[in-house]
Amino acid sequence: MGRHGRRVLSQSTAVAAEASKLVPGENGVIHYTTPEVVTHLCEAPSREIETTKEQLMEMYHQMYTIRRMETLCDSLYKQRLIKGFLHLYSGQEAVAVGIEHAITPEDAAISAYRCHGFQYVRGDSVESIIAEVCGKVTGCSKGKGGSMHMYRPNFLGGNGIVGAHVPVGTGVAFAQKYNQTKNVTVCAYGDGAANQGQLFEAFNMAALWKLPVVYVVENNMYAMGTSTERSYAGNVYYTRGDYVPGLLVDGMDILAVKRSMDFAVQNARDGMGPTIIEMKTYRYSGHSLSDPGTSYRTRDEVKAMRDSSDPIQGLKAKILHAEIATEDEFKAIEKEVRGVVQAAEKSAREAPDPGPEDLWTHILKEDTYARGVELQNSHYPE
């Protein structure tokens, strides 16, 4: 139990026992049975998923990279090389990586401000991300966005206002349907944002118009520092769409994340409308690095989560237990990632800050016409 009587997330059996669910088959196919999913207004997806060694090792590589990148951010912040707010993704890596393995580069994603992991899996480099959080011109937002405002093609940020990006993601899904693209939008938000009123307006629009959107609640159980038991009377989020189908998923198991996302994404592509997926996950750091994260939960609780449910070590244990890869293969990945992260730090330290000449760039597009009543003011005349 946590300090407030909260039951700590844990796997039903030890990590090594859970690892036995990875079963190598013929032609390089690996079979896995995901934990049970709880549903709302829909059939449960199959718990069986097929994967490959290549995909599993890529997942490990991506999650390990995010963890090392966030560890570096923690260090740079404490050295005062990162200014302002910094929200780390350590502990939640399986959500962003699992989502990315269920969508295509042409699909869209949008998240709140704990966005470094999403920015990386959407295709950005560690060097670009570290430069951005350090406020350097070589960063993905030219050093002007910092930790909370990062963007990529088909990744609409990194948004700093709690819950405000959910209607934006819904609008992106509306555009996809209007333009008949067959793409989907993944809109990720936290349990703290789940109480915002604009979410319910967005859910209503998405359900009425059967928009191709998957809403993902990254329920790390504490929002900014208040347990879900003290902030929401219902304390479940996958049913909050009322008339919108929902799933409750173990967000610390990357294959469970991917399987649930495969299900919801395919439904969206098939014109069946939105799904809400509650990913039960956990952040190891405080809400931001200005929050020690120990005034509303105990150090023992954080340690218990790390020991029992860490998504990176859990996947590694599964792979090793099934003899799919060796320790040497993991050491090679880890060595490579450490080199990449170290090089990114060096590059960021050497990169220049934005200069005074950059104050007015990337802010306003000149000669922009506003849509109005008169035709000549609604477009550029030819």
Side-chain angles (χ1 to χ4, degrees), residues 363-371 376-381:
I363 294 175
L364 174 67
K365 179 177 172 59
E366 299 297 334
D367 300 323
T368 299
Y369 283 84
R371 182 175 293 278
Q376 62 267 29
N377 290 331
S378 65
H379 66 99
Y380 285 101

Side-chain angles (χ1 to χ4, degrees), residues 60 64 316 329-339:
Y60 182 83
Y64 187 78
K316 182 178 181 179
E329 289 177 277
F330 282 106
K331 288 178 181 178
I333 289 174
E334 292 160 7
K335 181 180 179 180
E336 177 210 337
V337 169
R338 287 194 298 269

Side-chain angles (χ1 to χ4, degrees), residues 191-227:
D191 50 285
N195 293 319
Q196 293 282 322
Q198 64 263 38
L199 270 72
F200 301 96
E201 298 175 55
F203 294 163
N204 186 49
M205 289 181 178
L208 280 172
W209 299 334
K210 295 191 180 301
L211 301 184
V213 57
V214 181
Y215 298 107
V216 176
V217 192
E218 295 189 82
N219 181 6
N220 62 32
M221 303 192 288
Y222 286 106
M224 288 184 66
T226 304
S227 71

Side-chain angles (χ1 to χ4, degrees), residues 139-151:
C140 53
S141 295
K142 310 298 183 185
K144 299 179 179 182
S147 171
M148 296 194 288
H149 303 287
M150 299 180 174
Y151 308 92

Side-chain angles (χ1 to χ4, degrees), residues 149-170:
H149 303 287
M150 299 180 174
Y151 308 92
R152 287 283 298 168
N154 291 321
F155 179 56
L156 288 86
N159 294 270
I161 305 301
V162 176
H165 65 289
V166 176
V168 176
T170 306

